[in-house]
Amino acid sequence: MQSKESWRGAFCSLAVVLVAWWLISWIIRLPIVPSPVDVFINIGQDFFTKMENHVLYSLGRIFGGIGLSIIIGVPLGYLMGTYERVNRLLSPLVYFTYPVPKLALLPVVMLLFGLGEASKLIMIVLIVVFQIIVSSRDAVVNIPPEIFRSLQSMGASRIQMLTEIILPATLPEVLTATRLALGTAVSILFFTETFGTEFGMGYFIMDAWLRVDYLDMYGGIVVLSLMGFLLFTLIDVAEKRLSPWR
Amino acid sequence: MDKIIEVRHLRKVFGNNEVLKDINFSVSKGEVVCIIGASGSGKSTLLRCLNLLEYPTSGEILFHGVNILEQKMSNAVYRTKLGMVFQQFNLFNNLSVLDNCMVGQIKVLKKDKESARKTAMKYLELVGMVQYINAKPDQISGGQKQRVAIARALSMEPEALLFDEPTSALDPELVGEVLKVMKDLARSGMTMLVVTHEMGFAREVANRVVFMDAGVIVEENVPEVIFNNPANERTREFLRRILDQ
């Protein structure tokens, strides 16, 4: 998302969505589909008074959840990818628990960890961490073994194999996994924020809906997608910076 | 003569498959030893055992008389003393040609950037790749990659170089440039152990040729004897097959 062309692409696709939205609102003419113009004006008026705090809460939870997932998932994946024995031990566990619908565990998590931030982070981690584990493991497995051999033959230590080969070679895959995780995290976030909190975009949107304040509700949705866009762009920029050979 | 590497009763077993059976041989300083033999005869495994990319099942590997399998010297330090050139080049594709030759010196030998660069340039010049120092490995040909790989191994200033079929993955027209670099190296007095199918190279450059078959050293001798008057029937059979091609 750095070149001029990709920015132009972003604006074009945004324009198409907005025009479609505007057309629908113009045809339906009901308060449940307000015109995008009104929604954006509303965001302009409300952002720093009403929304700012919710945005910060949500961003914090996303960063926290994804950060924790990376801290847990990447080393686990690396271990599984490097040591066949660890993989044999853990991959059945991963495959067994990956498909469990974790949202169904929300009540359990809330009972055990309370209604606060902990249970929200845990929910995000529970769902997202598997994608990160599996992708980082596969990324390690896909490194040609000869590459290790050539560094090994120069007398490199295990730590150097990690920092010089595994980290740079798996970075693109880990970032892709993070990108996918991000989308999932935002949608889980919305769900967890509708319970037991009065902060966050999920709460803001549901609250507006209950108050039949459609302008606020759509404003919240737009801001949430902008947050997603911003985060995706951040990852793209990070990828360009960190693995310039791609 | 000063023996750099000596192997005694070396065995390597993969599962039920005994790939190396009681191997005994040595390489002295300044020698060029070529290992020939059919694929599956254990030559590459022997080479990998020598710098511990495969760990021998039993036996001794003496480096200047010290058994490195007894861990008196760390495996990593020992490996830096033996350079390795692989069949598939195994360059680091994310690094430039120059960086490929510097990374080991900086990370493993802890040299500073400037002296690492100097050393790398010296050997890149030797292999004739100075004009490509900023290229990435996917921008150069296989023969050029292998020359860079040789320069990379040399940049670690090892006591001996191990070559694992260095020309087998190359297009025929690119084999010559790599063999020429290797010949120059041999003439400069580098100690080299070369697993190869290039009989012409072995005949011309080797001080000694080792013929392996089914995990044992069948015969070893100066190239004139091995190629013109081999003692063993298996050697004769192998040479007849390979020279007929």
Side-chain angles (χ1 to χ4, degrees):
Chain A
M1 279 297 172
Q2 280 181 324
S3 65
K4 262 187 185 167
E5 278 85 40
S6 47
W7 280 114
R8 198 178 300 148
F11 280 118
C12 283
S13 51
L14 193 64
V16 170
V17 172
L18 289 179
V19 167
W21 178 2
W22 179 79
L23 273 176
I24 293 170
S25 74
W26 183 74
I27 295 165
I28 298 182
R29 287 176 184 279
L30 283 175
I32 197 162
V33 187
S35 137
V37 180
D38 297 340
V39 170
F40 278 97
I41 290 171
N42 186 51
I43 292 175
Q45 287 167 348
D46 283 3
F47 189 82
F48 289 105
T49 51
K50 277 202 215 159
M51 284 188 199
E52 193 186 14
N53 218 1
H54 296 287
V55 170
L56 290 179
Y57 262 91
S58 291
L59 277 177
R61 286 165 187 154
I62 292 176
F63 274 118
I66 290 195
L68 271 176
S69 306
I70 289 175
I71 291 171
I72 299 167
V74 170
L76 259 181
Y78 282 179
L79 279 174
M80 290 167 72
T82 311
Y83 300 105
E84 179 53 32
R85 222 180 264 172
V86 180
N87 188 35
R88 252 187 317 214
L89 202 72
L90 290 185
S91 62
L93 197 70
V94 169
Y95 292 157
F96 192 69
T97 46
Y98 194 173
V100 170
K102 268 77 148 216
L103 273 183
L105 296 178
L106 182 61
V108 183
V109 171
M110 281 181 149
L111 264 175
L112 291 176
F113 299 96
L115 299 173
E117 295 305 310
S119 57
K120 293 180 178 53
L121 287 185
I122 288 169
M123 278 314 292
I124 295 182
V125 171
L126 270 180
I127 295 176
V128 155
V129 76
F130 292 96
Q131 302 170 355
I132 307 228
I133 293 176
V134 173
S135 334
S136 25
R137 181 198 63 183
D138 292 352
V140 173
V141 170
N142 286 334
I143 301 172
E146 302 85 40
I147 294 292
F148 289 105
R149 290 231 172 93
S150 54
L151 200 65
Q152 213 179 359
S153 76
M154 289 196 263
S157 65
R158 273 169 194 277
I159 302 284
Q160 285 171 330
M161 307 277 228
L162 176 69
T163 56
E164 301 302 318
I165 299 181
I166 296 184
L167 278 179
T170 56
L171 190 76
E173 276 87 346
V174 169
L175 284 175
T176 299
T178 309
R179 232 177 251 136
L180 293 172
L182 186 64
T184 321
V186 173
S187 51
I188 306 156
L189 176 84
F190 178 82
F191 192 75
T192 60
E193 281 181 346
T194 55
F195 297 95
T197 182
E198 287 185 2
F199 299 102
M201 288 315 290
Y203 169 79
F204 181 87
I205 293 167
M206 286 309 281
D207 181 57
W209 180 52
L210 292 175
R211 286 186 287 107
V212 207
D213 185 342
Y214 292 117
L215 280 181
D216 265 7
M217 185 183 103
Y218 279 93
I221 294 173
V222 168
V223 168
L224 195 64
S225 11
L226 285 177
M227 274 168 54
F229 178 78
L230 186 82
L231 292 168
F232 279 120
T233 310
L234 263 180
I235 296 180
D236 283 349
V237 171
E239 176 159 28
K240 282 251 167 64
R241 275 280 163 85
L242 295 172
S243 50
W245 62 90
R246 283 275 158 158
Chain B
M1 263 206 287
D2 181 15
K3 284 178 185 164
I4 294 187
I5 311 167
E6 186 173 2
V7 174
R8 288 186 191 156
H9 306 296
L10 189 81
R11 280 179 73 239
K12 175 69 187 176
V13 181
F14 290 114
N16 295 325
N17 190 7
E18 192 173 7
V19 183
L20 295 175
K21 305 165 186 164
D22 196 33
I23 299 283
N24 295 285
F25 90 113
S26 64
V27 182
S28 299
K29 191 162 170 43
E31 252 193 322
V32 176
V33 178
C34 284
I35 305 180
I36 61 172
S39 39
S41 59
K43 355 182 251 310
S44 289
T45 309
L46 173 59
L47 214 61
R48 288 206 186 121
C49 278
L50 281 182
N51 72 353
L52 304 180
L53 289 179
E54 302 282 359
Y55 214 78
T57 309
S58 65
E60 295 178 353
I61 297 174
L62 307 182
F63 181 70
H64 290 297
V66 181
N67 185 0
I68 49 140
L69 299 180
E70 280 173 355
Q71 307 284 341
K72 285 192 178 132
M73 182 189 240
S74 91
N75 291 350
V77 173
Y78 167 66
R79 284 197 188 108
T80 63
K81 311 276 187 187
L82 296 180
M84 181 105 180
V85 176
F86 299 86
Q87 186 175 355
Q88 302 290 345
F89 331 123
N90 301 355
L91 294 178
F92 306 118
N93 287 328
N94 56 329
L95 299 180
S96 70
V97 163
L98 181 61
D99 285 338
N100 260 284
C101 297
M102 287 170 61
V103 65
Q105 299 184 65
I106 293 172
K107 301 287 178 185
V108 181
L109 302 180
K110 309 288 177 202
K111 287 216 238 167
D112 64 89
K113 252 193 158 160
E114 206 31 59
S115 73
R117 194 188 144 87
K118 243 189 207 158
T119 312
M121 288 302 285
K122 178 171 127 196
Y123 291 111
L124 281 167
E125 182 155 6
L126 192 80
V127 302
M129 287 298 292
V130 167
Q131 63 271 47
Y132 295 96
I133 52 171
N134 294 319
K136 287 283 168 71
D138 13 336
Q139 296 165 331
I140 57 180
S141 76
Q144 292 172 327
K145 280 187 211 177
Q146 195 59 296
R147 279 148 63 194
V148 172
I150 293 173
R152 179 177 68 173
L154 286 169
S155 295
M156 301 293 284
E157 314 218 283
E159 293 192 31
L161 272 188
L162 312 180
F163 292 83
D164 187 5
E165 303 198 19
T167 56
S168 298
L170 296 176
D171 291 337
E173 76 271 19
L174 300 177
V175 169
E177 60 184 86
V178 173
L179 289 183
K180 181 177 176 307
V181 167
M182 289 170 65
K183 279 177 202 166
D184 291 346
L185 266 182
R187 283 194 197 104
S188 74
M190 187 74 205
T191 310
M192 292 161 64
L193 184 56
V194 186
V195 169
T196 187
H197 291 292
E198 295 293 330
M199 296 304 146
F201 175 82
R203 190 193 282 263
E204 185 186 335
V205 181
N207 302 104
R208 199 145 45 89
V209 176
V210 174
F211 172 66
M212 283 184 74
D213 188 37
V216 295
I217 291 180
V218 175
E219 186 172 355
E220 63 172 299
N221 215 322
V222 292
E224 293 77 39
V225 176
I226 292 277
F227 289 111
N228 299 336
N229 194 15
N232 194 293
E233 177 54 36
R234 278 194 278 174
T235 318
R236 241 170 285 164
E237 171 64 28
F238 169 75
L239 287 172
R240 199 177 309 132
R241 252 187 300 132
I242 202 153
L243 295 176
D244 271 352
Q245 282 167 5

